[in-house]
Amino acid sequence: MNTVTVADEAAIQYAADLLRQGNLVAFPTETVYGLGADALNPSAVKRIFAAKGRPTNHPLIVHIASAHLLSDWAINVPDEAYQLAAQFWPGPLAMIVNKRSHIPNEVTGGQDTVGLRVPNHPIALKLLHTFGGGIAAPSANRFCRISPTQAQHVAEELGRAVELILDGGACQVGVESTIIDLTGKQPRLLRPGQISVTALEEVLQTKLLTVLSHETNQHIAPGMMAVHYAPSTPAILCSGADIDNMAETWIRQGKRVGKLLLQPSLTVSQEHDLCLPAQAEDYAQGLYAALRILDSWQLGVILIEQPPTSITWQAVNDRLKKATHRA
Ligand code: TXA
Ligand code: MG
């Protein structure tokens, strides 16, 4: 596996050639790094599942170069899709629509629908334009692990399973795209992300359905599985008021404790404490890298200070819930 810092045309050409030959290329998007393959090449797509250790019935998002291509990939495209695309593409929004029949079952997990997204990252867009087709790409991590937000994370997760990693530095959004399902009677939120429910409802002029946890169906959206995005170290959410007492309790039990705190924090007292900004978008950007660092210290437990629960923190709280869920 090669890691290439992308500035020049040649690296993108090389990446596009690798995709044409059925290889895997990891590339940066504004959300997280994706593990890409030619979306119309079933054997290349199968390699994604093998590299990630992901069950084959978990559908992939197809990345496309522009909203103009929506009808190349989807049939019966609802007006809502065009309205959302006009407002949010390129950007961190994936839409589930009815798929065209030429999209391989390997991409969609055998479903009649497909997830589509135009990523807002110059390298991803350049790769899409140069390649000239759709790129099926899940997050470039092993199944159920934390998504990578830096090229180095991809190398650590996937090693030789990926032919090339395009290094575009740290991802700006830091958590995966918002997913909206437009195939039902009413639009449905499947995964919260930086684009909020409020912003979507404003464009659609209608309320979104939200899939409740008891309805969670990993076949529909494995991103909604309770255990996902998880560090290996047990992680626990607790309030800022309780976190020091909690830490003491664990330390008394002989555990090495790390904390993930909100800035500004007076409780950064231990060697293994990290702080993230108290602004939702900045926190989201740093979250996965911070969890990886905490995980690498092989602590007994990670205590995470509960951030605010307002709507702007919805995506962060969703990921923290998943990171701290124990089966
Ligand atoms: O931000 C992102 O979306 C990143 C970057 C690389 O674009 N990709 C990403 O892909 O997060 P992945 O595979 O890790 O998560 C995609 C989610 C999964 O939960 C999957 O179930 C859901 O999208 N999904 C894809 N196609 C679907 C479909 N046809 N119906 C329902 N859910 C679908
Ligand atoms: Mg993922």
Side-chain angles (χ1 to χ4, degrees):
M1 169 261 309
N2 293 313
T3 302
V4 178
T5 305
V6 184
D8 63 310
E9 197 67 41
I12 298 283
Q13 281 292 351
Y14 176 52
D17 285 343
L18 285 174
L19 289 173
R20 284 183 199 113
Q21 292 154 14
N23 294 305
L24 303 184
V25 172
F27 61 97
T29 80
E30 78 281 36
T31 58
V32 300
Y33 275 74
L35 177 62
D38 177 354
L40 296 184
N41 180 339
S43 58
V45 170
K46 278 186 189 156
R47 296 186 56 200
I48 291 180
F49 289 90
K52 278 182 66 89
R54 172 165 163 148
T56 52
N57 64 346
H58 289 217
L60 305 177
I61 291 173
V62 176
H63 296 70
I64 56 177
S66 129
H68 296 116
L69 300 171
L70 251 172
S71 57
D72 288 2
W73 294 86
I75 47 167
N76 305 326
V77 182
D79 289 345
E80 285 93 338
Y82 289 109
Q83 288 160 7
L84 292 172
Q87 185 72 24
F88 298 115
W89 277 1
L93 177 69
M95 295 194 243
I96 310 299
V97 285
N98 292 304
K99 74 159 193 151
R100 281 209 174 271
S101 58
H102 71 283
I103 304 174
N105 281 330
E106 283 78 359
V107 171
T108 62
Q111 304 196 54
D112 297 335
T113 57
V114 63
L116 297 175
R117 168 164 124 78
V118 180
N120 188 17
H121 192 291
I123 293 171
L125 287 170
K126 209 163 174 194
L127 180 62
L128 282 162
H129 282 290
T130 306
F131 173 59
I135 302 178
S139 50
N141 50 285
R142 301 273 308 162
F143 183 56
C144 280
R145 301 301 311 278
I146 303 163
S147 294
T149 54
Q150 297 170 20
Q152 182 59 34
H153 299 163
V154 182
E156 287 161 12
E157 287 275 322
L158 299 174
R160 289 172 180 278
V162 54
E163 272 80 18
L164 179 73
I165 302 170
L166 296 175
D167 185 350
C171 299
Q172 204 208 326
V173 175
V175 292
E176 304 80 354
S177 60
T178 306
I179 304 181
I180 185 170
D181 179 1
L182 296 173
T183 63
K185 280 205 186 97
Q186 218 178 323
R188 228 165 37 125
L189 180 78
L190 295 185
R191 181 172 71 184
Q194 190 192 63
I195 295 175
S196 70
V197 172
T198 323
L200 294 169
E201 288 178 344
E202 223 164 81
V203 172
L204 295 173
Q205 292 291 301
T206 180
K207 283 273 167 211
L208 282 192
L209 288 175
T210 303
V211 181
L212 303 173
S213 55
H214 68 265
E215 292 175 309
T216 297
N217 176 344
Q218 46 177 278
H219 189 63
I220 293 175
M224 299 190 306
M225 282 163 61
V227 187
H228 212 82
Y229 318 108
S232 311
T233 314
I236 299 172
L237 262 177
C238 46
S239 73
D242 291 343
I243 202 161
D244 277 343
N245 286 339
M246 280 278 260
E248 281 307 316
T249 309
W250 284 96
I251 290 165
R252 274 201 300 276
Q253 290 173 24
K255 297 266 189 206
R256 293 167 68 233
V257 177
K259 298 194 226 98
L260 183 55
L261 300 161
L262 282 164
Q263 270 168 1
S265 177
L266 299 175
T267 62
V268 184
S269 50
Q270 306 285 325
E271 191 188 343
H272 294 125
D273 291 351
L274 293 181
C275 258
L276 285 173
Q279 203 273 336
E281 291 193 355
D282 297 337
Y283 185 104
Q285 185 182 23
L287 174 62
Y288 288 159
L291 288 176
R292 274 176 191 276
I293 292 169
L294 285 158
D295 214 13
S296 74
W297 287 332
Q298 303 189 324
L299 304 162
V301 66
I302 299 167
L303 302 179
I304 302 176
E305 180 176 355
Q306 172 66 60
T309 50
S310 53
I311 189 79
T312 47
W313 289 86
Q314 189 183 17
V316 162
N317 281 314
D318 172 76
R319 303 317 190 271
L320 289 180
K321 210 165 156 192
K322 286 162 179 160
T324 54
H325 182 94
R326 290 282 127 187

